[in-house]
């Protein structure tokens, strides 16, 4: 302890001014609390007051942060202090301690909220104060910006032995007798004090045999007391972090982090940010680039994996020990296993391994390394859940099992395997990113790459029999890295046509490849090209033409032609050039190298030149030059000043450096191994040191095989094969310290980090300016103002800021914080007591809510008070605390915050204010205040910040949480976090938003989840039938959701905050985020793909709603056939084809829409969906929907569109509730079942484009029918017979059908018609309608219809006095034929006479005093308009002759195609080549 206390004390700087916060972090049981408590005890006497809050993690969860604040304040004031809210507690702490020198110890902090409530900032405390914080989470300390972060050091071996010896020995035992056993215990504990104490205490009275038995048991069963203490950190993780930790603990300890990232990314663990979280929680560490962790933390990981079945590996989630596979191999070799998800096996027992792997159904990770691969039968089954698959020595010569369709697979690596081909044909693996085939001695050809659209990395190495790379490789647009090496029989690389994203191409050691790959398209992304040891004879011009962005070009042991050599070097962007072993001599060296102005690395090793023959000083970017093994080299050329590394090993003829290095002021690494003795080595070393001396404060080191010579020593001669290196500090090649400090100062001025108080007030000024006038401060009367909005939107911050600012204007004020939680914990009478006690300054008791109401009214009815009620969620809370205006004296103000607008409206508050989310600029400002520490430049993270701000969409909570989380993360950490948020939202944000969801009724919850998953940005009106079909009562439910700020209606469409939608998706995924078969709703096509093979034969009772938009019919049909509780199904197949349909459809279905139903036969026989409300089929292949009469008592909507094979409709007798029937584009439909004419519930019928339909059923009992439309059915020659009154019919439309007579029955039986449309009836010979019966008709359309003068003249008489719209479009009227009876239609408001032949109307329209719209467009013969009524507002007259006449009359002409001219009464529109303007 002594050494650790000395170190900690120096960090606290006791006695100095200012306030210092020091954090101590480390693994659980590592001694943090002991160290902090010892320091607290030792130094507390130097302070005016001191307080220790022990075990904050547990205490705050039990009693709340307010209680801890009360204890802290009471301790310092020596009297009992009560706190109404956390916000008030903060104010009181600052008020009490801001001028006092105090010591505070906050022990076991695990949440930033705890620090913000108890020690939010240094300015809370007086000068000289010290705050000590212990935690397991380094991130909390850095985010809170403590002054020092100290990592607690575990005990050394000697210290551990000393601590252990205090505990295990009783006075009867000799320490010497137990020495060896003690060493085993100390080794096991690995310096963890907790483990030493627990084991020491346990072994206190045990015999030697007891010690040995305990130590043997610990190998398999760790001590529970130790594990449970360590497990606290694990329990605080998100699920994805837990899975990541367990994978590292079981598989990857001791492995390089970079090598394991692809495995962890394959499993969608978002490892970059997850690993940083684990490190900051002290569960893992990165040592020399490798994963490491404390032995007992690893044991804890294994303990969690083994769970309740430590000796049954078949029930573990992960298998990593070969003996566990052996233990399983007999009892479970024939049993299916759904528990194991990851296996790493390093052994030799191939047959039994294959049997076991064949029965593991949920395997996501498999790494097999067979010590002696042999040819035996391979696995009969491989899990389709696999994401990472690596098998060294796959035994079978045949390809993988036929049913192996691993659509989630990301990485596939095969090595030393026996297969001739990986799989047959084109396999679709949509997520595969890495394909690596090494030492595949029998492999003849690669797979087809067309089915691997996401492939980024391809490696083919030492596949000696490989003759063909599939030509589809050349078209691959996602590939970034391709390496082909040691494939001796490969003769050709595919022609490159579309490899637009390829960055790196390597072809090495393929001697049969004689021709460079043909390139037919630009390869703008290609930056590295390596061609080594191939048979290529010509390097074509296409390299320069299509690979213009090359940075690195390596051509080793390749160039044989002088002409080719001199054509190579014209790549202006080239940064790396390798000409290894190209047998260059002096004459042949291409001097055009010096034109590569961006060159940074040049490799000329293993060549034959003696001199370069030209200077390299022009290569001002060159940093590395390699001339190793140039055995004839006599001297070096002049080197550029930029050079930092020179490698000249094994240059036997090089004996002098001359002056080539005279300008090299950055040269810090020179290697001269294996060469001859240098005559001027000391000159080189002097030059290097002199150049480096100019820069102060840099540590320089000369490395000579283990001997260190520091800067001050005299340089010695360096000769022979001794390596000479001067090593500089890490920042040697960057800006000097002075420049860096200067830049940092400027950045701090430009982008100051706001204080905590200011952060909380971002955007507050404008919101307070809006809210203050609503309170009407200073006026008489009582006003209640409600603030509502989405959770985390800033309601409380806004209300408290206002409360703080105006409280001085009132006789008394009181704030009740977090009423939702407080009332559920303590009851409303407790809140009443606190309120009354606050205003009376004495303790008040309340026995019942009614008594509390009486006391509040009595105490406050004559006092001017301010009350803030925060986070109200029930009306009874308002009724108990501020039931009415008359409870309070004149001038009082009541501020209420809530997520529920309905509460405020119901309580009749005076103003309801919706809190506005932050603008983009405000969001950036708030985020910057949380996310950036002083060590980074904001500009460097600008793009990433924009992504975060966009994700948060103005929600302050999200900006604070994400900003605090990202505070100490690298750029890679930011990227990883943002990628993870796409799949796994931040828990702290979701749980806050979820409070509103939790308060909904079950029906409202289901409605909300459906809208969030399926209907966001869909029109509300279009989705109502879907929601109604599921009995959600959506009209009232949607209003509830809107009032709770969970949904909004924007332009008639559903919308919601992005993070509210994320919260809904989080709820739906529940405990199984990666198992869509266990979600209640499926809406992403990839989730269907991920399910489609593994669950195709399993019943599913979890999924209740599916929306699918894709093309994979067969597998979709299999899955749908096994979903037993489906209530909602919407399928849209982009390219429907005829295949076998589902064998089963859920009888729970309420809404069923399938565009492209594949089967020609009807639905399955046992499909009896008695709950079905909506059935819509489109582009489907059925000839009939179902056979016979099916009883569907609740079906309201039946829509059959584009049913090209449909011959007849269903029998409608079994559909008693049918209200809407649509038959559209059913080209082969010949018959509508006659039962339709007897249907009493139908309200809407539309039949259109049914080309073979000859008859509409006789109408006998359609008493509720409101709308009938028959259109574009040319073979219907007879109007439907009507044998009964249709009193409900208000709209009737017949368009382009073959009827010859319009019967009198229309006027006799359809007497309540409001709209009649008779358009394009080309075969019509007679209109026998009795218009006298149509006394309610308001709209009449007769377009392209009237051919008989007599018919025309008897249409428009006073019987149509209610008519408001009349359309006579394209009726070919001339002047004589225009029915003047039009002017008798006194209520006419719209008249359409367009596309007619008259030149003048021949009568005035001035009598139509209600007319507002007149359309005479395309009346090409029209010369003049009649007198128009004063009521007219819109005239549409696109008539060429009329316009030409006006133009010749001198009316203004404007060359535009559209214009509107306004007068007080007229809007005149001309849509033609000229515009007429009337002044």
């Amino acid at each position: 302890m002594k050494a650790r206390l000395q170190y900690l004390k120096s960090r606290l700087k006791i006695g100095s001014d200012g306030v210092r916060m020091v954090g101590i972090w480390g693994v659980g049981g590592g001694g943090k609390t002991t160290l902090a408590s010892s320091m607290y005890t030792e130094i507390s006497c130097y302070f005016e007051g001191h307080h220790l809050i022990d075990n904050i993690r547990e205490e705050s969860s039990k009693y709340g942060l307010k209680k801890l604040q009360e204890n802290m304040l009471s301790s310092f004031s020596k009297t009992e202090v009560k706190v109404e809210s956390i916000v008030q507690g903060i104010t009181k702490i600052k008020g009490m301690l801001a001028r006092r020198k105090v010591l505070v110890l906050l022990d076991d902090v695990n949440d930033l909220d705890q620090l913000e409530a108890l020690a939010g900032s240094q300015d809370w405390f007086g000068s000289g104060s010290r705050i000590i914080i212990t935690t397991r989470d380094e991130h909390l300390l850095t985010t809170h910006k403590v002054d020092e972060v100290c990592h607690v050091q575990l005990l050394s071996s000697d210290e551990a032995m000393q601590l252990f010896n205090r505990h295990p020995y009783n006075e009867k035992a000799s320490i010497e007798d137990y020495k060896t056993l003690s060493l085993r215990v100390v080794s096991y504990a690995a310096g963890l004090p907790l483990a030493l104490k627990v084991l020491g205490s346990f072994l206190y009275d045990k015999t030697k045999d007891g010690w040995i038995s305990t130590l043997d048991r610990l190998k398999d069963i760790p001590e529970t007391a130790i594990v449970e203490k360590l497990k606290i950190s694990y329990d605080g993780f998100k699920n994805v972090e837990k899975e990541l930790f367990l994978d590292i603990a079981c598989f990857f300890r001791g492995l390089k982090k970079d090598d394991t990232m692809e495995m962890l990314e394959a499993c969608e663990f978002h490892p970059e940010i997850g690993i940083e979280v684990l490190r900051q929680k002290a569960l893992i560490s990165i040592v020399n680039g490798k994963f490491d962790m404390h032995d007992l933390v690893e044991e804890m990981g294994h303990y969690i994996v083994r769970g309740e079945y430590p000796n049954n590996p078949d029930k573990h989630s992960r298998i990593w020990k070969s003996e566990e596979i052996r233990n399983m191999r007999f009892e479970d070799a024939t049993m299916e296993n759904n528990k194991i998800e990851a296996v790493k096996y390093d052994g030799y027992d191939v047959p039994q391994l294959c049997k076991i792997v064949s029965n593991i159904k949920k395997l996501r990770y498999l790494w097999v390394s067979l010590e002696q691969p042999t040819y035996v039968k391979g696995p009969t089954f491989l899990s389709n859940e696999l994401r990472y698959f690596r098998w060294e020595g796959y035994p079978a010569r045949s390809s993988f099992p036929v049913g192996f369709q691993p659509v989630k697979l990301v990485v596939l690596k095969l090595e030393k395997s026996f297969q001739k081909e990986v799989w047959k044909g084109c396999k679709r693996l949509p997520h595969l990113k890495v394909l690596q085939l090494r030492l595949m001695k029998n492999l003849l050809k690669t797979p087809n790459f067309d089915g691997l659209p996401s492939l980024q990395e391809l490696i083919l190495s030492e596949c000696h029999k490989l003759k063909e790379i599939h030509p589809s490789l050349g078209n691959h647009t996602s590939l970034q890295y391709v390496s082909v090496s040691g494939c001796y029989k490969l003769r050709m690389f595919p022609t490159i046509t579309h490899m637009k994203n390829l960055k790196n191409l390597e072809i090495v050691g393929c001697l049969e490849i004689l021709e460079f790959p043909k390139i037919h398209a630009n390869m703008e992304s290609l930056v590295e090209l390596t061609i080594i040891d191939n048979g290529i004879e010509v390097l074509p011009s296409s390299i320069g033409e299509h690979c213009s962005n090359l940075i690195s070009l390596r051509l080793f042991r390749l160039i044989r032609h002088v002409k080719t050599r001199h054509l190579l070097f014209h790549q202006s962007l080239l940064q790396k050039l390798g000409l290894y072993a190209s047998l260059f001599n002096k004459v042949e060296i291409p001097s055009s190298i010096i034109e590569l102005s961006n060159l940074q690395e040049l490799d000329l090793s293993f060549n034959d030149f003696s001199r370069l023959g030209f200077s390299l000083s022009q290569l001002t970017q060159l940093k590395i030059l390699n001339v190793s093994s140039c055995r004839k080299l006599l001297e070096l050329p002049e080197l550029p000043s930029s050079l930092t590394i020179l490698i000249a090993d094994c240059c036997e003829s090089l004996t002098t450096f001359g002056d080539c290095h005279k300008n090299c002021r950055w040269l810090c690494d020179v290697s001269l191994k294996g060469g001859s003795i240098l005559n001027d080595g000391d000159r080189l070393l002097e030059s290097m040191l002199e150049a480096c001396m100019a820069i102060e404060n840099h540590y320089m080191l000369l490395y000579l095989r283990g001997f260190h010579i520091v800067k001050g020593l005299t340089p010695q001669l360096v000769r022979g094969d001794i390596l000479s290196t001067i090593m500089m500090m890490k920042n040697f090649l960057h800006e000097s310290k002075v420049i860096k400090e200067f830049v940092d100062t400027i950045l701090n001025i430009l982008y100051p980090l706001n204080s905590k108080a200011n952060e909380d007030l971002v955007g507050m000024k404008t919101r307070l300016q809006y809210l203050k006038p609503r309170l009407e401060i200073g006026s008489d009367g009582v006003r209640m103002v409600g603030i509502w909005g989405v959770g985390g939107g800033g309601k409380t911050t806004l209300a408290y800021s206002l409360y703080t600012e105006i409280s001085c204007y009132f006789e008394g004020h009181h704030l009740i914080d977090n009423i939702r939680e407080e009332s559920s914990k303590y009851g409303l009478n407790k809140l009443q007591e606190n309120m009354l006690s606050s205003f009376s300054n004495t303790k008040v008791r309340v026995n019942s809510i009614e008594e509390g109401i009486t006391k509040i009214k009595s105490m406050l009815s004559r006092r001017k008070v301010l009350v803030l009620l925060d986070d109200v969620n029930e009306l009874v809370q308002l009724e108990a605390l501020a039931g009415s205006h008359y409870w309070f004296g004149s001038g009082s103000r009541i501020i209420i915050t809530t997520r529920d607008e309905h509460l405020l409206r119901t309580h009749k508050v005076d103003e309801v204010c919706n809190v506005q989310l932050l603008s983009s600029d405000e969001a950036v400002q708030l985020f910057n205040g949380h996310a950036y520490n002083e060590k980074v430049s904001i500009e460097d993270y600008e793009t990433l910040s924009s992504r975060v701000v966009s994700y948060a969409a103005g929600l302050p909570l999200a900006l604070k949480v994400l900003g605090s989380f990202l505070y100490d993360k690298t750029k890679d950490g930011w990227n990883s976090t943002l990628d993870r948020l796409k799949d796994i939202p931040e828990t702290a944000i979701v749980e806050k938003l979820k409070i509103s969801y939790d308060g909904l009724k079950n029906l409202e919850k289901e409605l909300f989840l459906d809208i969030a998953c399926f209907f966001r940005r869909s029109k509300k009106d279009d989705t109502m039938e879907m929601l109604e079909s599921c009995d959600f009562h959506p009209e009232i439910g949607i209003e509830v959701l809107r009032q709770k700020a969970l949904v909004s209606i924007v332009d008639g469409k559903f919308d919601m905050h992005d993070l509210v939608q994320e919260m809904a998706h989080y709820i739906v995924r529940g405990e199984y985020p990666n198992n869509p078969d266990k979600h209640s709703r499926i809406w992403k096509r990839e989730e269907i793909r991920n399910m489609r093979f593994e669950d195709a034969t399993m019943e599913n009772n979890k999924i209740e709603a599916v929306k699918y938009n894709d093309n994979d019919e067969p597998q979709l049909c299999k899955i749908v056939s096994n979903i037993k509780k489906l209530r909602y199904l919407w399928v849209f197949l982009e390219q429907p084809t005829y295949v076998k349909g589902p064998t089963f459809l859920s009888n729970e279905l309420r809404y069923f829409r399938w565009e492209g139903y594949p089967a020609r036969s009807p639905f399955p026989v046992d499909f009896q969906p008695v709950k079905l409300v909506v059935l819509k089929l489109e582009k489907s292949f059925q000839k009939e929907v179902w056979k016979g009469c099916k009883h569907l008592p609740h079906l309201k909507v039946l829509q059959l569109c584009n049913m090209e094979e449909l011959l007849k409709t269903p029998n409608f007798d079994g559909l008693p509730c049918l209200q809407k029937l649509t038959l559209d584009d059913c080209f082969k439909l010949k018959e509508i079942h006659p039962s339709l004419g007897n249907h009493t519930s139908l309200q809407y019928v539309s039949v259109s484009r049914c080309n073979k339909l000859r008859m509409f059923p006789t109408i006998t009992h359609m008493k509720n029918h409101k709308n009938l439309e028959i259109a574009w059915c040319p073979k219907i020659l007879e109007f439907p017979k009507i044998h009964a009154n249709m009193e409900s019919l208000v709209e009737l439309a017949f368009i382009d059908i073959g009827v010859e007579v319009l019967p009198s029955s229309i006027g006799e039986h359809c007497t309540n018609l409001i709209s009649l449309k008779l358009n394009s009836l080309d075969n019509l010979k007679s209109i026998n309608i009795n218009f006298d019966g149509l006394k309610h008709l308001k709209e009449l359309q007769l377009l392209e219809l009237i051919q008989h003068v007599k018919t025309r003249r008897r249409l428009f008489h006073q019987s149509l006095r209610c008519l408001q719209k009349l359309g006579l479009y394209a009726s070919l009227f001339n002047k004589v034929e225009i029915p003047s009876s039009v002017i008798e239609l006194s209520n006419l408001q719209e008249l359409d006479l367009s596309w007619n032949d008259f030149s003048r109307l021949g009568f005035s329209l001035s009598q139509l005093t209600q007319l507002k719209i007149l359309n005479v467009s395309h009346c090409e013969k029209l010369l003049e308009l009649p007198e128009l009524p004063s009521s007219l507002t819109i005239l549409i007259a696109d008539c060429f002759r009329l316009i030409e006449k006006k133009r010749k009359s001198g009316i203004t002409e404007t060359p535009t195609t559209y214009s509107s001219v306004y007068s007080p009464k007229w809007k005149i529109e001309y849509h033609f080549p000229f515009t007429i303007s009337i002044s």
Side-chain angles (χ1 to χ4, degrees), residues 1237-1371:
N1238 303 321
H1239 208 291
T1240 57
S1241 294
L1242 265 169
Q1243 298 179 19
Y1244 174 90
V1245 174
S1246 174
V1247 183
S1248 62
R1249 284 179 289 275
C1250 298
N1251 297 339
K1252 294 192 176 182
L1253 186 64
R1254 294 181 174 275
M1255 182 180 292
F1256 190 89
T1258 300
I1259 297 172
T1260 54
H1261 293 101
M1262 299 180 76
K1263 62 181 181 180
N1264 288 307
H1265 201 58
K1266 295 180 179 178
N1267 190 317
L1268 175 60
E1269 180 181 310
I1270 304 175
W1272 300 289
C1273 299
K1275 294 199 174 180
I1276 293 182
L1277 303 178
E1278 186 177 352
F1279 190 87
K1281 295 176 182 176
I1282 305 176
H1283 291 168
N1285 283 337
M1286 299 181 70
E1287 296 175 356
S1288 299
L1289 192 69
V1290 292
E1291 293 188 31
L1292 181 61
F1294 293 100
I1295 301 170
D1296 202 5
I1297 61 176
V1299 297
E1300 297 180 347
V1301 177
L1302 293 174
S1304 61
S1305 58
I1306 294 176
E1308 295 166 0
H1309 296 298
C1310 309
T1311 54
N1312 289 321
L1313 268 182
I1314 293 175
S1315 173
L1316 177 60
K1317 298 177 182 178
L1318 305 170
N1319 301 339
S1320 304
L1321 303 179
D1322 294 339
N1323 296 333
L1324 189 66
K1325 297 178 179 177
S1326 175
I1327 300 177
N1328 296 330
I1329 300 172
N1330 180 7
F1331 284 96
D1332 290 335
L1334 304 180
K1335 296 180 179 179
H1336 303 284
L1337 196 66
K1338 293 183 179 180
E1339 180 179 11
L1340 178 62
Q1341 278 191 13
L1342 304 170
L1343 308 185
E1344 296 181 346
L1345 175 66
I1346 304 174
Q1347 279 119 37
H1348 302 285
V1349 175
K1350 291 182 179 179
T1351 306
R1352 296 176 182 178
R1353 292 192 178 279
R1354 56 190 291 266
L1355 278 177
F1356 314 115
H1357 47 72
Q1358 290 185 345
S1359 61
L1360 298 178
R1361 57 182 175 274
C1362 291
L1363 204 65
Q1364 295 178 0
K1365 296 182 181 180
L1366 175 60
L1368 300 175
Y1369 173 98
S1371 297

Side-chain angles (χ1 to χ4, degrees), residues 567-584:
L567 291 172
L568 282 175
F569 311 112
H570 299 286
Q571 298 284 331
S572 60
L573 297 177
L574 205 65
Q575 294 180 5
K576 297 181 182 180
L577 176 61
L579 300 174
Y580 174 95
S582 297
L583 304 180
F584 281 127

Side-chain angles (χ1 to χ4, degrees), residues 29-46:
K32 302 180 296 295
T33 299
T34 304
L35 174 62
S37 298
S38 298
M39 177 58 68
Y40 176 85
T41 303
E42 183 175 324
I43 65 174
S44 57
C45 58
Y46 302 130

Side-chain angles (χ1 to χ4, degrees), residues 846-1112:
V846 171
N847 297 314
S848 68
I849 293 173
E850 289 73 16
E851 180 186 352
I853 291 172
T854 302
K855 287 185 175 181
I856 291 171
K857 288 193 282 188
S858 174
M859 183 181 293
L860 303 181
S861 61
R862 290 178 177 81
R863 294 180 64 183
K864 178 184 176 182
V865 296
L866 172 65
V867 178
L868 170 53
L869 306 178
D870 175 54
D871 198 19
V872 172
N873 72 313
E874 290 184 14
L875 195 60
V876 292
Q877 297 161 355
L878 290 176
E879 291 172 344
L881 299 167
S884 177
H885 291 65
Y886 68 81
W887 287 21
F888 306 96
S890 181
S892 294
R893 296 296 181 264
I894 316 300
I895 305 171
I896 304 163
T897 75
T898 180
R899 299 173 182 227
D900 189 351
E901 180 193 20
H902 175 67
L903 284 183
L904 303 175
R905 301 287 184 195
T906 306
H907 199 57
K908 300 177 183 176
V909 301
D910 300 284
E911 285 279 351
V912 176
C913 305
N914 185 11
V915 68
Q916 296 298 309
L917 298 184
L918 299 178
S919 67
S920 296
D921 291 342
E922 291 169 338
V924 168
Q925 187 182 349
L926 178 60
F927 177 71
N928 287 352
H930 286 272
Y932 297 112
N933 61 50
E934 60 281 355
K935 298 177 183 177
V936 302
S937 166
I938 292 178
E939 283 93 339
D940 293 343
Y941 288 75
E942 195 168 349
T943 302
L944 293 171
S945 298
S946 296
R947 287 178 62 191
V948 178
V949 169
S950 174
Y951 173 82
L955 194 73
L957 169 71
L959 293 161
K960 290 178 183 177
V961 169
L962 293 174
S964 298
F965 180 75
L966 292 168
Y967 175 76
D968 54 357
K969 303 300 185 291
T970 63
K971 277 190 179 181
D972 288 340
W974 281 53
N975 277 314
S976 182
T977 299
L978 289 165
D979 290 341
R980 185 173 73 175
L981 286 172
K982 296 174 186 175
D983 303 316
I984 307 163
E986 186 62 35
T987 309
I989 301 169
V990 166
E991 290 301 327
K992 184 81 171 176
L993 294 171
K994 192 170 171 282
I995 293 170
S996 296
Y997 170 85
D998 292 336
L1000 298 173
K1001 297 173 183 173
N1002 286 338
L1003 204 62
E1004 294 159 354
K1005 288 180 179 179
E1006 296 300 314
L1007 172 63
F1008 167 69
L1009 294 179
D1010 267 15
I1011 293 172
C1013 294
F1014 301 123
F1015 305 130
R1016 186 181 178 192
R1017 299 192 179 92
S1018 295
K1019 286 186 177 180
K1020 175 188 170 186
D1021 292 344
D1022 294 344
T1023 59
M1024 290 299 280
E1025 69 176 10
M1026 310 175 204
L1027 301 173
E1028 286 168 350
S1029 71
C1030 296
D1031 282 348
F1032 287 155
H1033 306 287
E1035 199 63 57
I1036 185 61
I1038 289 166
E1039 181 60 12
V1040 169
L1041 298 180
R1042 190 197 65 75
Q1043 291 177 327
K1044 298 270 189 183
L1046 289 177
V1047 304
S1048 57
I1049 310 296
V1050 180
D1051 297 328
K1053 297 178 180 179
F1054 285 121
D1055 204 2
M1056 61 184 62
H1057 194 280
D1058 293 340
L1059 294 177
V1060 171
Q1061 186 179 41
E1062 283 281 359
M1063 178 263 289
H1065 296 173
Y1066 170 86
I1067 292 167
V1068 168
R1069 295 186 184 110
E1071 299 175 6
Y1072 307 98
N1074 297 318
N1075 290 351
D1077 53 302
K1078 294 185 178 179
H1079 302 167
S1080 62
R1081 292 156 176 84
I1082 305 293
W1083 64 95
K1084 292 184 176 180
R1085 63 175 72 184
E1086 57 267 24
E1087 291 183 336
I1088 289 285
R1089 291 195 201 109
N1090 291 346
M1091 292 172 60
R1092 60 183 181 176
F1093 295 108
E1094 74 268 16
D1095 294 317
T1097 59
M1098 295 171 62
E1099 286 194 8
N1100 185 300
N1101 291 314
K1102 300 286 186 183
I1103 299 170
E1104 60 181 73
V1106 172
K1107 190 172 184 180
Y1108 179 72
N1109 183 348
D1110 207 351
N1111 275 329
D1112 204 338

Side-chain angles (χ1 to χ4, degrees), residues 242-398:
K242 289 179 178 178
E243 297 298 315
L244 174 63
F245 167 71
L246 294 179
D247 266 16
I248 294 173
C250 294
F251 300 123
F252 305 132
R253 185 182 179 191
L255 295 184
K256 286 185 177 179
K257 175 190 169 187
D258 292 343
D259 294 343
T260 60
M261 290 298 280
E262 69 176 8
M263 312 177 203
L264 301 172
E265 285 168 351
C267 296
E268 293 187 349
F269 288 155
H270 306 284
E272 194 65 53
I273 189 61
I275 288 166
E276 180 63 7
V277 170
L278 298 183
R279 189 197 64 76
Q280 290 179 324
K281 297 276 189 179
L283 286 185
I284 69 168
S285 57
I286 311 294
V287 180
N288 296 325
K290 296 178 180 179
F291 286 122
D292 202 4
M293 61 183 64
H294 193 281
D295 293 340
L296 293 177
V297 172
E298 182 181 44
E299 281 284 357
M300 181 261 289
H302 296 172
Y303 170 85
I304 293 167
V305 168
R306 295 187 183 110
E308 300 174 6
Y309 307 97
N311 299 316
N312 290 353
D314 55 298
K315 294 186 178 180
H316 302 168
S317 63
R318 293 158 176 83
I319 305 293
W320 64 95
K321 292 184 177 181
S322 299
E323 58 267 26
E324 291 184 334
I325 289 285
R326 295 191 199 104
N327 293 343
M328 292 172 60
R329 65 183 182 180
F330 294 111
E331 72 264 21
D332 294 316
T334 59
M335 295 172 61
E336 286 193 8
N337 184 299
N338 290 314
K339 299 289 186 183
I340 299 170
E341 60 181 73
V343 171
K344 189 175 183 182
Y345 179 75
D346 186 356
Y348 53 83
D349 201 339
V350 188
Q352 295 304 330
L353 171 70
C354 290
K355 285 183 182 178
I356 290 165
V357 168
S358 297
N359 291 290
I360 302 177
K361 305 303 179 186
K362 299 290 186 182
L363 201 60
R364 62 169 170 82
Y365 171 87
L366 177 63
W367 184 348
V368 175
S369 178
L370 297 176
E371 296 171 2
Q372 298 174 342
T374 55
Y375 169 59
V376 296
K377 185 179 180 181
T380 57
F381 171 87
L382 286 169
S383 169
N384 288 321
E385 289 288 318
L386 275 167
R387 294 171 177 270
Y388 183 91
F389 181 9
R390 180 173 182 175
W391 195 312
E392 299 177 27
Y394 188 80
R397 289 187 183 176
S398 58

